């Protein structure tokens, strides 16, 4: 037995843009001896709800989680939430708004593609078995229709910020999202801070009342972890850690990463 608590609080399931089912993730979490996990699917809790129904069969504890998209000054910002009431209406309204915007964004992408002689229909993109629509699903449709040789090429050609066909996701403001998470009794955490386009955004989000920082993150190096731990301490923020696992690669399998330094307040049951 290990004495510390091994947690991975940032995992994507097949209900968003990951590839593993909640059941498979819980099974591997047990095999790899993780103690606590949270699914942080983009704008949906359906994977968490499916996992919660079978969580009793596993040793690893599953806590409520989500990764909510926000739109701030033209940038895409991800706010994680944990330990919320999954039935809270304020939170469900946030999820509904973002899901609708994901649908709208797909239509905007389709319009832009047509200007560049790329023709997709919503049905081409929606054939995927998923509870949300996102750029990964558009990438798969572009490959299937022969507009790109593979997923990475589809992204780089059509879906990254620099692409002429790019359209931003106009999700809810971080203020509204942080407020709704609080109303649902949850804890809001700014995800993967190193990906922010400008350092000032981090301080703006702290000012808005976010409660935690994802200081530990699989692709943060030691310097980055140290930097964000210091910022968390200065601003009295909780800290979390996660892998942001979507699918296995040659070097990175689910369960290889875990964090032993997550603030206790986040791990304890509501
Ligand atoms: P969306 O929320 O629809 O904007 O999609 C965001 C998701 O797309 C991320 O969570 C990643 O899984 C994926 N993604 C974002 N940027 C890239 C990229 N440059 N190459 C491959 N996948 C990406
Ligand atoms: Zn994703
Ligand atoms: Fe994210
Ligand atoms: Fe993520």
């Amino acid at each position: 037995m290990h004495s510390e608590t091994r947690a991975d609080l940032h995992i994507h399931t097949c209900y968003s843009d990951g590839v593993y089912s909640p059941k498979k993730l819980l099974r591997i979490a047990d095999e790899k001896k993780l103690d606590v996990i949270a699914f942080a699917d983009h704008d949906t809790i359906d994977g968490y709800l499916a996992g919660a129904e079978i969580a009793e069969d596993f040793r690893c504890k599953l806590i409520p989680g989500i990764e909510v998209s926000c739109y701030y000054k033209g940038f895409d910002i991800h706010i994680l939430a944990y330990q919320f009431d999954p039935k809270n209406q304020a939170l469900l309204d946030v999820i509904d708004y973002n899901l609708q915007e994901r649908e709208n964004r797909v239509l905007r992408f389709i319009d832009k593609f047509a200007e560049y002689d790329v023709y997709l229909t919503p049905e081409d993109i929606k054939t995927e078995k998923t509870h949300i629509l996102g750029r990964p699903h558009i990438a798969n449709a572009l490959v299937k229709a022969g507009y790109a040789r593979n997923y990475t090429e589809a992204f780089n050609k059509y879906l990254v910020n620099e692409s002429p066909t790019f359209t931003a996701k106009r999700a809810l403001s971080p203020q509204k999202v942080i407020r709704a998470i609080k109303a649902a009794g949850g804890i809001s955490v700014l995800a993967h801070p190193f990906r922010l386009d400008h350092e000032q955004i981090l301080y703006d989000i702290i000012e808005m009342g976010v409660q935690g920082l994802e200081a530990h993150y699989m692709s943060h190096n030691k310097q980055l972890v140290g930097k964000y731990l210091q910022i968390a301490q200065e601003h009295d923020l909780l800290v979390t850690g996660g892998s942001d696992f979507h699918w296995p690669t040659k070097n990175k399998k689910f369960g290889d990463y875990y964090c032993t330094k997550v603030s206790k307040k986040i791990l304890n049951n509501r």
Side-chain angles (χ1 to χ4, degrees):
M1 267 305 278
H2 45 270
S3 54
E4 80 275 10
T5 301
R6 298 179 175 178
D8 182 351
L9 300 190
H10 194 151
I11 303 162
H12 292 269
T13 79
C14 59
Y15 285 76
S16 62
D17 54 357
V19 295
Y20 287 171
S21 66
K23 189 175 183 176
K24 181 160 182 168
L25 288 161
L26 281 162
R27 185 168 56 68
I28 301 174
D30 271 5
E31 280 167 20
K32 298 277 184 99
K33 302 205 172 355
L34 301 189
D35 300 302
V36 184
I37 60 170
F39 301 145
D41 279 320
H42 303 284
D43 298 320
T44 178
I45 55 169
D46 293 352
Y48 162 69
L49 294 175
E53 279 189 20
I54 53 167
E56 272 184 11
D57 302 338
F58 300 89
R59 195 194 56 84
C60 182
K61 184 161 115 179
L62 178 71
I63 66 168
I66 186 171
E67 181 171 29
V68 184
S69 299
C70 308
Y71 186 61
Y72 178 66
K73 296 188 171 169
F75 299 110
D76 187 28
I77 289 160
H78 292 174
I79 306 250
L80 299 158
Y82 300 108
Q83 300 289 17
F84 48 79
D85 169 9
K87 294 198 168 75
N88 178 272
Q89 197 53 47
L91 184 67
L92 295 176
D93 288 347
V94 160
I95 292 172
D96 276 350
Y97 182 97
N98 278 359
L99 289 182
Q100 186 58 52
E101 166 51 20
R102 283 178 172 280
E103 300 250 351
N104 297 341
R105 186 193 192 194
V106 163
L107 300 179
R108 292 200 300 275
F109 265 117
I110 287 174
D111 283 349
K112 290 227 183 178
F113 290 159
E115 293 171 24
Y116 292 82
D117 285 325
V118 171
Y119 300 100
L120 287 185
T121 66
E123 288 65 39
D124 295 331
I125 295 159
K126 282 183 196 171
T127 48
E128 303 284 326
K129 266 190 258 144
T130 172
H131 287 225
I132 64 150
L133 286 177
R135 282 181 293 161
H137 312 103
I138 305 175
N140 289 334
L142 287 164
V143 174
K144 206 170 162 195
Y147 292 110
R149 274 170 298 182
N150 55 50
Y151 182 86
T152 308
E153 188 183 288
F155 246 95
N156 293 335
K157 237 169 129 177
Y158 299 108
L159 301 170
V160 293
N161 287 47
E162 297 74 26
S163 312
T165 48
F166 181 79
T167 172
K169 191 192 313 134
R170 298 176 201 143
L172 279 172
S173 69
Q175 289 97 326
K176 282 195 178 146
V177 169
I178 290 168
R179 210 178 306 137
I181 293 166
K182 199 162 211 173
I187 297 165
S188 56
V189 175
L190 179 62
H192 41 64
F194 84 108
R195 289 214 215 148
L196 295 172
D197 296 82
H198 299 291
E199 188 83 354
Q200 185 53 41
I201 298 176
L202 169 58
Y203 297 99
D204 291 354
I205 305 282
I206 292 173
E207 194 67 26
M208 291 174 203
V210 81
Q211 292 159 285
L213 193 59
E214 194 177 37
H216 300 276
Y217 184 71
M218 193 163 74
S219 51
H220 281 170
N221 61 26
K222 256 198 182 144
Q223 280 81 0
L224 282 176
V225 172
K227 171 183 161 178
Y228 293 124
L229 284 177
Q230 192 178 341
I231 293 173
Q233 198 176 18
E234 282 165 9
H235 295 268
D236 209 11
L237 300 172
L238 301 167
V239 300
T240 68
S243 63
D244 213 350
F245 176 82
H246 285 73
W247 48 75
T249 62
K250 229 201 270 168
N251 305 318
K252 288 170 185 163
K253 308 277 178 265
F254 174 59
D256 292 349
Y257 174 93
Y258 58 79
C259 176
T260 59
K261 305 274 195 283
V262 175
S263 302
K264 289 280 173 292
K265 192 178 167 191
I266 294 181
L267 298 178
N268 294 334
N269 271 337
R270 336 181 334 101

